[in-house]
Amino acid sequence: MIYIPAGKDKTRKRSIETIPDPGLFHISLSTHRGAAAVPVVSIGQRVKKHQLIAQAGGAVSAQVHSPASGWVTDIGLYPQPDGSKRETVVIQNDFKETKEEVIPTYPGAFTSEEVIQAIADAGIVGAGGAQFPSHIKYRTGTNRIRTFIINGAECEPYLTADYSLMRQYHAQLLQAVALICNVIQPEQVVLAIEKNNKELVPIFEPYLQSLPVPLSILQLQGGYPQGSELQLIRSATGMELQRGIIPATAGVIVSNVGTLYAIYKALYEHTPAIERIITVSGNRTEVCGNYKVKIGTPISHILQTLGISVPHHKVQLILGGPMMGWTVDDHSVSVSKGTAGILLLEKRELHPYNCIRCGYCVDACPMRLMPFELAEAYENRNKSALKELKLTQCIECGLCEYVCPSDVPLLESFRLGKILTNLR
Ligand code: SF4
Ligand code: SF4
């Protein structure tokens, strides 16, 4: 765990504002974990706001809905933040806001299965970045859940989307937590926040006795990557889980606050996952804040709305946080359900593999991997070495790259290495 200058003061106190909807939405069908969603609309078709436009493409997948009413103008391959091109539905907004009710109004008391089905119907995926379909997580089977961790630890520098959500929507958040408690029946609930956000404690204290099970607030020491699932489980329960182990099998479920807010919107406001809160910030922009934005909104629209220009030679635009996010040159890419921020940072040049074997990356790695050896293995396209060095255990936190004095592009090597070896 390493202390990284947070840079959050620029946006911490900013209330959540709304980015007006764009004229064109680019809604990717494969930003969630698992199989791509399959379109159920065709080019030229009229759609309503909330209408299902693509259905889950497999057991692990998610539904996709229209963020506005209008027309489908294209279904084709469009650029993604990772540089690939994937199937995307393009919707022309008619700004009429004609809605379709897709999430049914349940009677006062929901059965567990009704709640889980509504979460699936709403296309809710993890908002913390992993974008794993949430309904699967809450189908716990025979696993006894001891601890339900609410992840409010937003450890990436600059990002304050979760913080602003906790300040502004704490009552809604706790309503969703109570609902999920009825489904997964945990023995305890732990709200994990960072110690330097301790002003949130009095906001949540009135709720400590209001849930069906005891709620405690865990104040984490600052440091990165405190908010990653495995680190959080270690901090809250003392258990060290390997990456790839399903936490529910160890009696733990972790949900990000953004995911829980999406659950509130689905179950209490009958709204599928068509928007999220993002932070716009960075050391190369004076314009910053926390914003509600529709899924599928192109980055170019957000930049234009806020009057932000991006001189490519000086500024690096990152989708997500500076540690785990994607550097994006094509601003036609759009916001997904896992996009936590748009950052404008001073451009940093990474250099091809020129490791000086200092070992700093090894000391920094929270998963106890050998980052420089992994990078060398990728450089040599040595698949068996990548497997032996446990590339699958890499949580892509970016700490190794952050501490590297030679600016070796370690994170990119690991992401490409996982594609090369088909290990994710
Ligand atoms: S990105 Fe992977 S290898 Fe690098 S520090 Fe994080 S877990 Fe370790
Ligand atoms: S920190 Fe950078 S230079 Fe040092 S061993 Fe790791 S990859 Fe090599």
Side-chain angles (χ1 to χ4, degrees), residues 141-416:
T142 54
N143 296 307
R144 177 87 192 100
I145 303 303
R146 285 184 292 281
T147 309
F148 177 30
I149 304 173
I150 308 165
N151 187 357
E154 197 175 27
C155 57
E156 281 254 23
Y158 291 107
L159 299 183
T160 55
D162 288 350
Y163 175 84
S164 61
L165 189 154
M166 286 188 281
R167 272 172 63 112
Q168 215 160 317
Y169 296 113
H170 45 89
Q172 292 88 336
L173 191 56
L174 266 293
Q175 221 169 319
V177 172
L179 195 64
I180 296 301
C181 282
N182 288 333
V183 173
I184 61 171
Q185 303 280 318
E187 289 168 15
Q188 60 161 343
V189 180
V190 176
L191 168 63
I193 59 169
E194 286 160 291
K195 214 166 202 167
N196 52 6
N197 290 339
K198 58 180 181 293
E199 66 276 15
L200 291 172
V201 174
I203 291 177
F204 283 101
E205 265 171 352
Y207 300 101
L208 294 183
Q209 308 302 326
S210 69
L211 291 176
V213 287
L215 168 72
S216 59
I217 300 173
L218 173 66
Q219 294 187 59
L220 302 160
Q221 296 295 339
Y224 181 85
Q226 189 72 261
S228 81
E229 189 170 71
L230 297 183
Q231 270 59 42
L232 209 51
I233 291 171
R234 191 189 297 168
S235 302
T237 69
M239 280 191 295
E240 292 217 19
L241 300 187
Q242 292 283 301
R243 191 168 184 265
I245 303 266
I246 297 167
T249 61
V252 188
I253 287 184
V254 182
S255 288
N256 175 272
V257 291
T259 313
L260 289 161
Y261 183 60
I263 290 171
Y264 167 83
K265 296 281 287 181
L267 272 295
Y268 293 98
E269 296 185 358
H270 318 295
T271 305
I274 57 158
E275 70 176 16
R276 63 156 297 139
I277 298 165
I278 64 165
T279 300
V280 176
S281 189
N283 58 15
R284 294 303 300 240
T285 178
E286 292 307 312
V287 182
C288 50
N290 302 303
Y291 302 96
K292 260 187 195 171
V293 58
K294 294 277 169 36
I295 307 305
T297 301
I299 304 310
S300 54
H301 171 78
I302 298 170
L303 296 174
Q304 195 180 5
T305 301
L306 297 175
I308 298 174
S309 65
V310 184
H312 283 281
H313 60 292
K314 288 185 190 157
V315 176
Q316 187 176 13
L317 188 144
I318 294 178
L319 221 51
M323 304 297 288
M324 298 182 76
W326 295 90
T327 298
V328 167
D329 292 324
D330 183 342
H331 298 172
S332 73
V333 300
S334 56
V335 169
S336 74
K337 293 172 187 174
T339 306
I342 299 173
L343 302 182
L344 292 105
L345 300 175
E346 191 167 333
K347 200 153 197 161
R348 178 175 161 234
E349 297 294 344
L350 292 174
H351 304 292
Y353 191 74
N354 59 347
C355 174
I356 56 169
R357 294 282 201 276
C358 66
Y360 291 171
C361 55
V362 180
D363 294 341
C365 179
M367 299 305 289
R368 304 190 181 106
L369 301 176
M370 300 291 283
F372 72 92
E373 288 189 1
L374 276 165
E376 189 176 21
Y378 173 70
E379 198 64 15
N380 297 327
R381 305 297 187 268
N382 187 338
K383 292 187 194 178
S384 58
L386 286 168
K387 284 180 192 164
E388 274 164 32
L389 290 163
K390 299 196 173 102
L391 179 61
T392 43
Q393 289 301 307
C394 171
I395 57 171
E396 299 179 22
C397 67
L399 256 188
C400 49
E401 190 172 292
Y402 179 77
V403 299
C404 176
S406 297
D407 289 332
V408 176
L410 295 163
L411 190 53
E412 186 185 67
S413 304
F414 306 150
R415 284 173 169 164
L416 294 175

Side-chain angles (χ1 to χ4, degrees), residues 66-101:
S66 179
S69 57
W71 292 268
V72 177
T73 59
D74 196 16
I75 301 173
L77 298 178
Y78 281 80
Q80 307 294 313
D82 64 3
S84 66
K85 286 190 175 180
R86 308 239 180 93
E87 190 162 43
T88 296
V89 176
V90 181
I91 291 177
Q92 171 83 54
N93 189 355
D94 66 7
F95 294 97
K96 288 187 180 157
E97 297 277 299
T98 319
K99 276 189 199 165
E100 178 172 300
E101 204 66 73

Side-chain angles (χ1 to χ4, degrees), residues 1-141:
M1 207 92 66
I2 281 187
Y3 176 77
I4 297 174
K8 294 181 190 255
D9 286 346
K10 292 178 89 164
T11 53
R12 270 165 72 87
K13 299 279 163 62
R14 299 285 184 93
S15 306
I16 299 166
E17 297 174 52
T18 300
I19 298 283
D21 289 350
L24 269 188
F25 289 96
H26 286 194
I27 306 147
S28 171
L29 303 185
S30 53
T31 54
H32 53 263
R33 194 59 71 91
V38 180
V40 292
V41 290
S42 48
I43 296 171
Q45 185 176 334
R46 187 133 182 64
V47 290
K48 291 181 179 169
K49 185 174 179 177
H50 295 178
Q51 184 176 331
L52 184 73
I53 56 170
Q55 64 188 16
V60 180
S61 186
Q63 310 281 75
V64 181
H65 302 83
S66 179
S69 57
W71 292 268
V72 177
T73 59
D74 196 16
I75 301 173
L77 298 178
Y78 281 80
Q80 307 294 313
D82 64 3
S84 66
K85 286 190 175 180
R86 308 239 180 93
E87 190 162 43
T88 296
V89 176
V90 181
I91 291 177
Q92 171 83 54
N93 189 355
D94 66 7
F95 294 97
K96 288 187 180 157
E97 297 277 299
T98 319
K99 276 189 199 165
E100 178 172 300
E101 204 66 73
V102 288
I103 311 293
T105 307
Y106 289 107
F110 306 147
T111 65
S112 295
E113 192 44 43
E114 279 175 324
V115 172
I116 290 171
Q117 192 55 51
I119 291 169
D121 290 346
I124 296 171
V125 303
Q131 301 190 79
F132 187 78
S134 301
H135 62 283
I136 299 171
K137 198 181 252 196
Y138 299 131
R139 280 209 170 99
T140 54

